[in-house]
Amino acid sequence: MAGNETAGGAAALPATAREPGASRAAAATPPARVPAHVAVIMDGNGRWATGRGWPRLVGHRRGAERVKEVVTAAPDLGIRWLTLYAFSTENWKRSVEEVIGLMRLFSRYIEREADRLSEEGVRMRFIGDRGPLESRLRRLMDGIEARTAGNTRLNLTVAINYGGRDEILRAAQALVAAAASGEIAPGAADEAAFAARLDTAGLPDPDLVIRTSGETRISNFLLWQSAYAEYEFTPTLWPDFTPAELAAIVARYGQRERRFGAVAV
Ligand code: IPE
Ligand code: IPE
Ligand code: MG
């Protein structure tokens, strides 16, 4: 499946696993190098603002500024897919004021960044259930996806009303429907058939998942896709996150050895 595209993939296996005849000297495990797909749980906007005595929405606005910087910096670091968690299926539990403010921020980001994203060669996509979103926001999302569909420098995916369990359930329902209609034989429902029905169909699995703000949980993010991701948790609140910290995290990732269940030589 698409996960084969990840940078770590076969390149992270011991050389002997790929080339049975390779010499002992060549068997040293190459570092995983640059993570092709980085996914970020952008957390800590609220604490950043309330710690200063400001409304939570000020933190979200500052967070959106950080998104712009990271989107610009990512391709220069060699990152080709960047996935950002912006609003979870659980975030509807927040105050109406905060939810409406966030939705407005998403619309404004798309409107104001459309030209720059196009110029920088960014292909923008969204994952999550769009059904409950306002029609104006949905139109903006559809529009920017269509406008940037031909771009290849960076694949930016933003998760809005996204939940890993919700996505898996919707994919399971689609698979059941496909089996019921005879489109696929029930026995043919393998990993690839399932992954093709996830919102992330066509995207590689994340190599590295970063969460800011010091929380060490995944909060329903990319549950299926992160099966073999590497994780980094930083205490930095998202509005304080910089391209320099991203570069440092990417460098640390390069020292990791990804085994995917195999045994290092
Ligand atoms: C992350 O920051 C952004 C969203 C979930 C929309 P938070 O708003 O969760 O900030 P904290 O965790 O309350 O500080
Ligand atoms: C996860 O952050 C969702 C996003 C970053 C969009 P939350 O702040 O909602 O997660 P919890 O509630 O701390 O687990
Ligand atoms: Mg939070």
Side-chain angles (χ1 to χ4, degrees), residues 4 10-11 36 42 59 61 65 87 90 108 143 169 190 216 254 259:
N4 294 338
M42 308 182 290
R61 279 201 288 274
E65 296 302 314
F87 193 91
E90 287 71 40
R108 208 179 317 148
L169 271 176
D190 57 9
T216 47
R259 289 190 289 276

Side-chain angles (χ1 to χ4, degrees), residues 18-191:
R18 285 176 278 126
E19 305 157 30
S23 72
R24 184 93 185 124
T29 305
R33 298 187 303 265
V34 176
H37 185 174
V38 175
V40 187
I41 302 173
M42 308 182 290
D43 197 18
N45 295 352
R47 276 164 284 169
W48 184 90
T50 54
R52 290 166 171 76
W54 296 337
R56 294 176 58 85
L57 276 169
V58 177
H60 295 314
R61 279 201 288 274
R62 185 60 71 100
E65 296 302 314
R66 296 288 95 88
V67 169
K68 293 179 196 170
E69 292 169 10
V70 165
V71 166
T72 299
D76 293 336
L77 294 171
I79 295 166
R80 294 182 55 210
W81 286 270
L82 179 67
T83 299
L84 303 176
Y85 202 5
F87 193 91
S88 75
T89 46
E90 287 71 40
N91 287 147
W92 298 104
K93 296 173 190 166
R94 299 186 179 199
S95 73
V96 175
E97 184 193 13
E98 183 168 352
V99 169
I100 289 177
L102 281 164
M103 294 298 155
R104 282 201 187 124
L105 202 54
F106 300 148
S107 295
R108 208 179 317 148
Y109 178 89
I110 297 170
E111 285 172 324
R112 294 192 181 165
E113 288 303 296
D115 288 346
R116 193 214 309 239
L117 293 169
S118 304
E119 280 158 24
E120 291 184 356
V122 177
R123 177 173 185 178
M124 192 172 192
R125 279 181 272 224
F126 297 92
I127 54 173
D129 181 3
R130 299 180 197 198
L133 304 179
E134 274 189 7
S135 56
R136 193 179 108 80
L137 175 57
R138 289 206 318 253
R139 273 200 304 278
L140 284 167
M141 291 161 72
D142 293 344
I144 191 89
E145 281 184 334
R147 179 173 170 187
T148 62
N151 292 346
T152 55
R153 187 158 180 264
L154 176 72
N155 289 277
L156 171 64
T157 303
V158 179
I160 297 181
N161 192 27
Y162 175 87
R165 286 189 173 182
D166 176 68
E167 180 194 35
I168 287 169
L169 271 176
R170 287 186 285 108
Q173 285 162 359
L175 208 49
V176 168
S181 71
E183 188 190 320
I184 62 161
D190 57 9
E191 272 196 26

